[in-house]
Amino acid sequence: MVTLLTAVLFYFGWASSDAESTALGLQDSLFHLSTSDYLLRSVQALFLPAWVVAGAALAAVGLHRWAADEPRRTAWAARRLRFAWLPPLALLAPYRLHPGLFDLLIPLSAIIGFLLTAYARTRPPPATPEASGTTGLTGTRRRHHQRVWALTVLISVLLLFWAVYAYAGVVGRGRAAETARSMSTKDPAVVVFSKYDLMIRGGGSCYFRVLEKGSAFGFRYSGLRLFHIAGDRVYVVPVRWSPGEGTVWVLEKSDSVRVEYVSGPAGRAEKCE
């Protein structure tokens, strides 16, 4: 179970990062994210699904106990739940109307349908006077139940990865939109000093020659925003950068480059100082 959870978290982190990078006109591989980065990027976004799953599990337990109190009620529900895998197929018809939405609804509803079907088909038959002297399941019936649940779990895991990919796309595109909105209002401004000319030009960025005597740096760049940090790499963009248009500069920290981060509205002003 822990292995499956870790795999889902990693897959979600990668898929959401890939969707975010694509929406920004970039590629996920540019940022050199590690396994721990992908796992950490998954945690916050999965809080809501985790609560939904927990609530659904509690509701399922409550419904099971409610149905188990009345044998007739249980038998009635079991007969209908044997075909619970069929209704999700109806969602395939309107799929083209909103692929992004149905990419999430179809696998989630199919998981619920297959689990309910397996539950109904492996329920023990109602007790009868003729069967009152027998205990447990026969070996053949037990093996049949095991095969049903094994197939159900396999299908559910495959559908789970489909749902995770769809939800990760929604989260990634949302993060990309938030990045574009916050570029000029939240992200810190960046000032770069370099011993050599880094050829940072355009998009509202500015460069100046450092004329102070004794300075270890010959060039100063402003009008930049922090985009991403990965290890010793700092990713910066010009103040007028937008998704799909503009340049991302990758700076490697070294003795010849110094990066300063400036917070506050004054530091995020578009003008170069």
Side-chain angles (χ1 to χ4, degrees), residues 1 26 28 65 90 95 108 150 163-164 189 202 220 226 237 242 245 247 250 271 273:
M1 186 63 181
L26 304 170
D28 173 70
R65 296 189 64 177
Y95 175 82
L108 290 179
V164 166
R220 176 179 178 270
L226 178 64
V237 296
S242 61
E245 183 178 352
T247 304
V250 184
K271 61 182 181 179
E273 298 179 352

Side-chain angles (χ1 to χ4, degrees), residues 51-64:
W51 280 109
V52 172
V53 170
L58 290 174
V61 171
L63 288 174
H64 172 72

Side-chain angles (χ1 to χ4, degrees), residues 192-262:
V192 179
F193 292 87
S194 175
K195 185 176 181 180
Y196 308 103
D197 188 0
L198 300 177
M199 298 302 296
I200 295 177
R201 306 285 193 275
S205 64
C206 304
Y207 78 99
F208 306 90
R209 293 295 301 266
V210 177
L211 302 178
E212 286 80 357
K213 293 183 179 180
S215 174
F217 304 101
F219 297 86
R220 176 179 178 270
Y221 305 88
S222 60
L224 305 172
R225 296 290 182 269
L226 178 64
F227 189 82
H228 180 70
I229 296 179
D232 291 335
R233 294 183 176 89
V234 179
Y235 298 77
V236 298
V237 296
V239 67
R240 296 172 191 166
W241 180 89
S242 61
E245 183 178 352
T247 304
V248 177
W249 290 288
V250 184
L251 309 175
E252 293 193 10
K253 297 177 183 178
S254 65
D255 294 337
S256 62
V257 175
R258 188 179 81 189
V259 180
E260 295 181 353
Y261 307 101
V262 184

Side-chain angles (χ1 to χ4, degrees), residues 84-98:
W85 61 275
L86 288 174
L89 297 179
L91 296 177
L92 294 174
Y95 175 82
R96 292 183 177 274
L97 297 178
H98 200 307

Side-chain angles (χ1 to χ4, degrees), residues 64 67 73-85 111-126 137 141 144-145 148-149 152:
H64 172 72
R73 189 184 298 158
T74 303
W76 179 87
R79 286 195 299 271
R80 285 153 180 79
L81 291 179
R82 291 169 68 89
F83 303 98
W85 61 275
I111 289 174
I112 296 173
F114 278 108
L115 291 176
L116 291 176
T117 299
Y119 170 79
R121 291 182 177 273
T122 57
R123 285 280 302 171
L137 297 173
R141 191 172 183 84
H144 172 70
H145 288 182
V148 169
W149 276 110
T152 300

